[in-house]
């Protein structure tokens, strides 16, 4: 188990380094935050939003949960989106999944782990929606990869369907949703090409990405 004193010492050194580079850094951030993007990602310890995108404190507003799921009735996630869009006025909402996601694997295989099964039921819904696509892939590895991607694509659609995004677009606010996926094996992010800056565009890019006509 990591020695917690080491973490506090690391923090002290980090704060000193930041102050050495930019003496006003913390004073500026203490007064206001103006992040330009909201990141909705997986809780996985290997996918830290700021680090993999080279962002400093103050640059990205973050919400993470197991398997980066956006549920229409999740007050926590909806509140984050509303605050980010309405108050902070972020220009980009990025849903970022990752290959090798354990939550997605549990959903793919229908494993039972406990309470979390109920949360991952949402990913099982994605699996069931795209059962034909997944069934046509060559092996379980390919199905896992594709379900990681499909889960991001579905969650981007869910973001675009929130009242927050619909209202923002209706009043002409410039804010776009995007779907990215991160590869643990090489540390690279990939764009899943489902970016949208309106409800209509969100529906079109979803259809193009999954080849389904019926969902939206
Ligand atoms: Co994950």
């Amino acid at each position: 188990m990591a020695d917690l004193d080491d973490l506090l010492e690391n923090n002290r050194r980090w704060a000193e380094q930041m102050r050495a580079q930019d003496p006003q850094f913390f004073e500026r951030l203490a007064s206001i935050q103006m992040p330009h993007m909201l990141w909705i990602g997986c809780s996985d310890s290997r996918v830290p939003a700021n680090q993999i995108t080279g962002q400093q404190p103050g640059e990205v507003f973050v919400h993470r949960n197991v398997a980066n799921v956006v549920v229409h009735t999740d007050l926590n996630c909806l509140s984050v989106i509303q605050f980010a869009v309405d108050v902070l006025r972020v220009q980009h909402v990025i849903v970022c999944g990752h290959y090798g996601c354990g939550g997605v694997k549990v959903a793919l295989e229908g494993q039972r782990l406990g309470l979390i099964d109920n949360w991952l039921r949402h990913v099982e819904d994605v699996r069931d929606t795209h059962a034909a696509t997944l069934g046509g892939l060559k092996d379980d590895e390919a199905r896992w990869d594709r379900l990681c991607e499909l889960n991001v694509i579905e969650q981007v659609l869910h973001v675009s369907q929130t009242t927050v995004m619909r209202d923002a677009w209706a009043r002409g606010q410039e804010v776009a949703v995007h779907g990215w996926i991160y590869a643990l094996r090489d540390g690279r992010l990939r764009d899943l090409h489902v970016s949208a800056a309106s409800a209509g565009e969100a529906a079109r890019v979803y259809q193009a990405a999954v080849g389904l006509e019926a969902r939206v």
Side-chain angles (χ1 to χ4, degrees), residues 158-174:
H158 291 174
V159 172
S160 76
Q161 290 170 332
T162 59
T163 54
V164 177
M165 294 306 301
R166 299 259 161 164
D167 290 351
W169 284 330
R171 63 179 178 258
Q173 190 172 332
E174 287 190 15

Side-chain angles (χ1 to χ4, degrees), residues 41-98:
C42 183
S43 297
D44 193 301
S45 63
R46 298 165 294 181
V47 196
N50 285 64
Q51 220 165 338
I52 65 176
T53 55
Q55 302 287 288
Q56 294 295 328
E59 294 185 313
V60 52
F61 200 63
V62 175
H63 177 78
R64 291 167 70 182
N65 62 42
V66 175
N68 42 271
V69 179
V70 177
V71 180
H72 296 306
T73 52
D74 177 3
L75 201 56
N76 184 349
C77 185
L78 291 176
S79 299
V80 170
I81 296 172
Q82 194 254 322
F83 189 78
V85 172
D86 291 358
V87 181
L88 297 174
R89 298 254 157 183
V90 297
Q91 292 164 312
H92 303 283
V93 178
I94 296 164
V95 177
C96 185
H98 66 102

Side-chain angles (χ1 to χ4, degrees), residues 9-199:
E9 178 55 23
N10 289 347
N11 167 258
R12 191 189 59 73
R13 274 202 302 271
W14 172 78
E16 277 175 7
Q17 278 168 14
M18 295 301 287
R19 207 182 287 276
Q21 286 166 21
D22 178 355
Q24 303 305 313
F25 184 75
F26 293 110
E27 284 75 2
R28 259 200 329 275
L29 279 183
S31 62
I32 192 169
Q33 66 161 337
M34 287 192 293
H36 51 82
M37 70 172 189
L38 164 61
W39 175 280
I40 300 174
C42 183
S43 297
D44 193 301
S45 63
R46 298 165 294 181
V47 196
N50 285 64
Q51 220 165 338
I52 65 176
T53 55
Q55 302 287 288
Q56 294 295 328
E59 294 185 313
V60 52
F61 200 63
V62 175
H63 177 78
R64 291 167 70 182
N65 62 42
V66 175
N68 42 271
V69 179
V70 177
V71 180
H72 296 306
T73 52
D74 177 3
L75 201 56
N76 184 349
C77 185
L78 291 176
S79 299
V80 170
I81 296 172
Q82 194 254 322
F83 189 78
V85 172
D86 291 358
V87 181
L88 297 174
R89 298 254 157 183
V90 297
Q91 292 164 312
H92 303 283
V93 178
I94 296 164
V95 177
C96 185
H98 66 102
Y99 295 115
C101 184
V104 170
K105 188 162 200 236
V106 167
L108 182 63
E109 297 175 350
Q111 293 178 38
R112 293 294 307 274
L113 295 182
L115 178 66
I116 196 168
D117 301 341
N118 300 284
W119 179 251
L120 292 175
R121 179 64 238 184
H122 295 292
V123 184
E124 291 190 21
D125 289 344
V126 179
R127 175 201 66 191
D128 295 346
T129 299
H130 302 287
T133 301
L134 294 169
L137 298 176
K138 67 176 178 359
D139 57 24
D140 288 345
E141 200 70 19
R143 277 185 277 279
W144 189 11
D145 284 350
R146 187 56 182 155
L147 186 55
C148 288
E149 295 172 352
L150 288 168
N151 184 47
V152 171
I153 293 164
E154 289 285 334
Q155 308 315 326
V156 168
L157 180 66
H158 291 174
V159 172
S160 76
Q161 290 170 332
T162 59
T163 54
V164 177
M165 294 306 301
R166 299 259 161 164
D167 290 351
W169 284 330
R171 63 179 178 258
Q173 190 172 332
E174 287 190 15
V175 53
V177 295
H178 312 271
W180 290 358
I181 192 154
Y182 178 77
L184 301 171
R185 66 184 83 89
D186 64 4
R188 297 295 303 274
L189 285 162
R190 288 160 178 81
D191 186 353
L192 290 172
H193 303 292
V194 285
S195 295
S198 70

